[in-house]
Amino acid sequence: MFIKNAWYVVAWSEEVTREPLARTVLGEEVMLYRTQDGKPVALADRCAHRAYPLSAGRVIGDNIQCGYHGFEYDCSGICVKVPAQERIPQRAVVTSYPVHEAHRWVWIFMGDAEKANSTPVPDNHWMTDPAWDRVTHTRLIESSAELIHDNLLDLTHESFLHESSIGDDSVFENGVTVEASPGRISVDRWMPHCHPSPLFEKATGLQVVDRWHTTDFQLPSLHTIHAGVVEPGGDRADGHLLEVLNAITPQTESTSWYFYGFCRNFNVGDQDLNDLLSTSLGQVLDEDANALALQQTRMEKRPQSAPDVLIGQDAGVAKARRLLAQLLKAESEPAGADDSASREPQRAS
Amino acid sequence: MRLLLRQAVHRAVVDGIEIAASPDTPDREPWLWQVRVLDRILDGEPVPADRSRDRIGLPCRGSSAVLDVLAHGKSITTTTELLTVHEPMKVTRDTEEIAVLIVGRQSVLVEGRHRLHELDALVLEGDDPISFEIAPGEDETHEVPVGLVRLRSTTTKPISWVP
């Protein structure tokens, strides 16, 4: 079960080209391509004729041609050509999904298309803002999206899982302020007068700082970690600032896409620093990926009588789980027509 | 740990809302306590033998609601009071104590940075913070009613809470 009436990152802008791209999101096979004027298109990756993947076909003009029998679909998923006959069957349509492209990410809306326009797309402008530099990564994580949400809302794991890079004792030694509001959870940790994390010390040369990180979870897909360091007593706004973007898109119930952007407002254009951060943060993501995959398999085998033992630091985790469950419940309640029915394109009569 | 809960995220219960409870997920740990704001007192609602109840009026929701605290009598003691905030005031809690603040009408500013409006709540647990300042929100010209619930363990084992 997935929350569908929301925007999810489906690909990096550079991944969507004139060549079809196949991707599974929220348990559904989707294919993406660009029109001649560069607009991204997302369609169900299954020809209406015999279910052959459209991603195995070719882009012709603004259409996608099935590679099996040549059925051709336009950007709205309507079949416009059947090579073997003149008449096009009424039911020869595939689902098209709303997409939105901004700041190097292509977002997809898998739910009721009529709700797409009124659903805000989260901000990720740091990915292209010239005043910021960034390194990026992508991972396909072998765990549910829920476990990744837990990971990002309880950053005390940094002290242990990432102790050589972004974690140290200051993380778990300082408490959090958790704020729960509709559609949003934030977990703020203020770490006064301490060392920067090992990686930050290497990157900035700073020794003693006031330090913070705030995970801002815009349910159900994006965690933006506002983080930074400043000289003790300084103003946060004057510090070395980070905006760490973590877009989590379920692939299946037990696997998830992780689109990552680590943006900074200092040493912009420093390629050596970019290389250091790219390597180190890639290792951090690998450590997370390994841990999450192990957790997933252990949890699948765990008896129901042994639920998680949460602690005070898990306040954000617990509240997010509840809000996610509420969103899922709200979508599953019968409120009218089936989602897919309202999304299916209508052929002009 | 501070947990700031906005009015719109409280769980709806019969005749009101649940501000916080331990546990707030069924079947996790033994039941200990629940803080609710009720629109009215449910006539004849029985209190189980092993539970204690505290109730005070909380001016909010356009009239007067009831701040209702249920606790497992053998494990938890509770005190419930209504603060009237018309100037900055300091509230102190013990580290062994969970404090739950619920704002009635209007708004307050806690620790100079957390603005709480009607029915927003702040739950404080653990060793930070043990004292904090509450001040009327900007533009508040009247006294602001704030419910304060304190929960303590009756045993030497300190109380803790996971939302």
Side-chain angles (χ1 to χ4, degrees):
Chain A
M1 295 281 284
F2 303 105
I3 296 164
K4 291 193 166 183
N5 290 325
W7 289 100
Y8 291 90
V9 175
V10 64
W12 294 94
S13 286
E14 55 266 33
E15 290 184 288
V16 182
T17 66
R18 295 281 291 162
E19 292 297 315
L21 170 71
R23 188 138 285 174
T24 302
V25 285
L26 277 59
E28 296 183 31
E29 274 96 30
V30 172
M31 60 86 54
L32 298 114
Y33 67 95
R34 283 190 193 275
T35 61
Q36 293 171 96
D37 61 0
K39 288 191 182 122
V41 175
L43 301 175
D45 193 12
R46 185 175 54 245
C47 180
H49 177 219
R50 302 294 297 280
Y52 191 71
L54 292 176
S55 57
R58 68 180 77 86
V59 176
I60 298 176
D62 286 348
N63 298 338
I64 177 75
Q65 182 191 60
C66 180
Y68 202 3
H69 302 98
F71 279 46
E72 205 170 305
Y73 299 86
D74 69 13
C75 305
S76 64
I78 293 175
C79 182
V80 294
K81 186 175 179 184
V82 176
Q85 64 180 38
E86 277 194 23
R87 189 181 64 80
I88 299 172
Q90 191 75 15
R91 292 192 301 111
V93 292
V94 296
T95 302
S96 71
Y97 300 96
V99 287
H100 177 88
E101 185 169 27
H103 309 295
R104 291 188 58 199
W105 275 348
V106 179
W107 300 75
I108 192 166
F109 196 93
M110 303 287 288
D112 180 349
E114 290 182 0
K115 293 179 178 166
N117 282 341
S118 59
T119 304
V121 181
D123 179 27
N124 68 317
H125 77 273
W126 301 279
M127 291 292 293
T128 53
D129 188 331
W132 293 68
D133 209 339
R134 76 276 311 160
V135 297
T136 62
H137 288 285
T138 313
R139 294 287 185 278
L140 181 57
I141 307 284
E142 292 180 357
S143 85
S144 69
E146 287 73 20
L147 285 184
I148 308 176
H149 297 322
D150 292 357
N151 170 289
L152 291 163
L153 289 164
D154 176 12
L155 293 178
T156 57
H157 78 272
E158 290 181 350
S159 306
F160 306 94
L161 198 58
H162 312 306
E163 63 177 343
S164 63
S165 52
I166 58 171
D168 60 14
D169 293 359
S170 299
V171 181
F172 69 80
E173 285 173 353
N174 289 280
V176 288
T177 299
V178 175
E179 180 170 347
S181 52
R184 210 154 187 154
I185 297 283
S186 77
V187 181
D188 177 72
R189 179 178 283 101
W190 172 242
M191 296 166 274
H193 208 80
C194 61
H195 283 284
S197 67
L199 179 59
F200 224 105
E201 189 169 339
K202 210 183 287 184
T204 64
L206 295 169
Q207 298 288 316
V208 179
V209 293
D210 287 344
R211 172 178 160 197
W212 68 93
H213 55 217
T214 306
T215 300
D216 178 13
F217 180 24
Q218 297 171 73
L219 278 65
S221 69
L222 181 67
H223 297 254
T224 305
I225 302 176
H226 313 289
V229 299
V230 67
E231 288 185 12
D235 190 329
R236 281 194 191 196
D238 299 329
H240 291 69
L241 303 183
L242 302 174
E243 297 290 343
V244 187
L245 299 159
N246 306 265
I248 311 303
T249 303
Q251 184 199 42
T252 66
E253 296 284 357
S254 58
T255 56
S256 309
W257 292 104
Y258 194 144
F259 300 94
Y260 178 82
F262 183 95
C263 311
R264 67 178 193 276
N265 76 340
F266 56 93
N267 295 57
V268 172
D270 181 339
Q271 193 53 45
D272 289 342
L273 183 55
N274 281 345
D275 293 342
L276 169 70
L277 290 173
S278 184
T279 303
S280 303
L281 295 168
Q283 287 167 358
V284 167
L285 286 179
D286 289 340
E287 288 164 354
D288 279 322
N290 291 336
L292 289 160
L294 289 169
Q295 249 189 305
Q296 180 73 32
T297 54
R298 296 303 188 278
M299 284 189 169
E300 286 169 0
K301 292 177 186 168
R302 184 172 70 174
Q304 284 196 330
S305 57
D308 287 350
V309 178
L310 300 185
I311 61 169
Q313 291 267 5
D314 292 314
V317 170
K319 283 295 163 195
R321 287 179 183 177
R322 182 191 281 188
L323 290 185
L324 286 165
Q326 284 173 353
L327 286 174
L328 198 56
K329 183 165 180 276
E331 278 192 9
S332 62
E333 283 169 352
D338 180 306
D339 278 349
S340 57
S342 62
R343 193 173 56 229
E344 200 157 276
Q346 299 297 309
R347 183 185 302 283
S349 54
Chain B
M1 185 267 290
R2 301 169 187 81
L3 177 58
L4 204 175
L5 300 165
R6 296 298 177 189
Q7 185 269 337
V9 299
H10 298 317
R11 176 158 38 195
V13 294
V14 175
D15 280 321
I17 49 176
E18 179 189 270
I19 302 293
S22 178
D24 74 354
T25 305
D27 304 326
R28 206 169 60 187
E29 295 103 17
W31 188 89
L32 287 177
W33 54 266
Q34 181 186 39
V35 177
R36 296 179 297 176
V37 174
L38 303 175
D39 294 331
R40 63 188 177 93
I41 295 175
L42 300 173
D43 292 333
E45 187 192 42
V47 179
D50 62 344
R51 296 183 185 188
S52 63
R53 160 166 275 156
D54 258 355
R55 271 178 173 162
I56 58 166
L58 180 68
C60 63
R61 293 187 155 195
S63 60
S64 189
V66 176
L67 177 56
D68 180 276
V69 184
L70 278 173
H72 185 263
K74 284 188 179 168
S75 310
I76 303 289
T77 59
T78 67
T79 57
T80 305
E81 60 184 308
L82 184 67
L83 309 176
T84 49
V85 181
H86 55 87
E87 61 183 3
M89 62 186 293
K90 195 173 180 182
V91 175
T92 302
R93 56 178 272 272
D94 293 336
T95 51
E96 296 83 16
E97 194 174 78
I98 293 173
V100 183
L101 287 171
I102 304 113
V103 180
R105 291 195 192 107
Q106 306 174 80
S107 68
V108 295
L109 193 63
V110 179
E111 296 183 291
R113 59 196 172 109
H114 303 301
R115 184 170 303 286
L116 277 67
H117 298 275
E118 186 177 57
L119 289 177
D120 287 348
L122 184 65
V123 186
L124 302 161
E125 183 263 357
D127 55 8
D128 176 46
I130 54 170
S131 78
F132 51 93
E133 186 187 83
I134 309 178
E138 284 172 25
D139 305 327
E140 301 300 0
T141 53
H142 299 94
E143 295 175 334
V144 183
V146 176
L148 172 60
V149 180
R150 298 173 188 273
L151 302 137
R152 292 181 69 95
S153 171
T154 58
T155 67
T156 52
K157 194 175 159 189
I159 187 172
S160 66
W161 182 56
V162 180

